[in-house]
Amino acid sequence: MHRGLLIVISGPSGVGKGTVIEKFIHDPDLNLTYSVSMTTRPRRPGEVDGVNYYFVSREEFLRARDNGELLESAEFVNNFYGTPLKKVEELRNAGKNVLLEIEVQGCQQVVQKCPDALTIFIVPPSMQELEKRIRGRATEPEEIVQQRLEKARREMAMTNQYKYVVCNDKPDLAADIIRVIIRDHMQENSTPAE
Ligand code: 5GP
């Protein structure tokens, strides 16, 4: 059995990563599974512990990180986020393609450890549209919105670190493009090396 692919999807907050991912993650041909991250961020309305994130205290997070239990981790707008390593390894060894939805610093760490990771960055059609989407969420105070926008501007300058950049103007189209990219890499992954 082939070891599953490691797929990283990044993009500024508010770009609609979740919406796009939801459109292809259950496609049986892609054999995908979503890696649930650990975070110290407070839960948003509708989020479920163990489904959207594992919501943990700062102490729990730092303990896991210092024990080497995370594949990567980053601080983002005053909260920690990280990918549990053991689960990713188990799933890939079982032949599953594992999808990480993480920010840029985390992606850099992943690429250092797994240079063959398939990395995809989702961009908004414009920065004005991104601001509109972030404000549309309206669950956070202005100060946090500003921090997210500043972080978005910095992240948008780092898209050259990714193998693919996909624009989310129409989520259905963005999802179709990502499907094609993943299928192509699955074929490569299943072709025996010469
Ligand atoms: P949010 O608070 O909006 O759910 O996520 C904020 C940012 O953290 C997003 O860009 C998201 O992709 C990123 N993120 C979520 N989980 C992880 C993780 O495990 N590691 C890293 N490095 N970033 C993450």
Side-chain angles (χ1 to χ4, degrees), residues 24 30 32 88-89 115 117 123 127 143 147 159 161 168 170 193:
F24 65 79
L30 299 181
L32 280 169
V88 169
E89 287 301 300
V123 293
M127 285 309 281
E143 191 193 338
Q147 286 177 24
T159 56
Q161 303 193 10
N168 180 23
K170 298 178 182 167

Side-chain angles (χ1 to χ4, degrees), residues 43-114:
R43 200 185 309 192
R44 292 192 189 123
E47 285 184 332
V48 179
D49 189 34
V51 176
N52 304 91
Y53 283 106
Y54 296 108
F55 295 96
V56 297
S57 66
R58 274 180 103 81
E59 292 69 29
E60 283 172 288
F61 188 96
L62 294 174
R63 199 180 319 123
R65 190 188 69 180
D66 296 345
N67 284 341
E69 293 168 20
L70 301 178
L71 167 62
E72 59 73 38
S73 68
E75 193 168 357
F76 184 95
V77 191
N78 305 325
N79 286 299
F80 289 114
Y81 296 81
T83 302
L85 173 63
K86 193 165 158 235
K87 192 82 192 163
V88 169
E89 287 301 300
E90 282 171 6
L91 289 164
R92 289 185 73 197
N93 288 339
K96 280 278 190 187
N97 298 320
V98 179
L99 181 81
L100 311 185
E101 193 249 278
I102 63 176
E103 52 68 72
V104 176
Q105 297 165 63
C107 179
Q108 287 169 340
Q109 296 167 39
V110 170
V111 170
Q112 267 183 357
K113 289 182 188 163
C114 315

Side-chain angles (χ1 to χ4, degrees), residues 1-58:
M1 185 199 297
H2 288 277
R3 195 164 135 80
L5 297 172
L6 185 59
I7 303 165
V8 175
I9 297 206
S10 300
S13 69
V15 79
K17 296 182 292 277
T19 308
V20 173
I21 289 170
E22 197 51 38
K23 290 186 184 287
F24 65 79
I25 188 111
H26 304 295
D27 182 337
D29 294 342
L30 299 181
N31 190 27
L32 280 169
T33 183
Y34 181 77
S35 161
V36 179
S37 296
M38 202 182 257
T39 185
T40 59
R41 162 168 83 58
R43 200 185 309 192
R44 292 192 189 123
E47 285 184 332
V48 179
D49 189 34
V51 176
N52 304 91
Y53 283 106
Y54 296 108
F55 295 96
V56 297
S57 66
R58 274 180 103 81

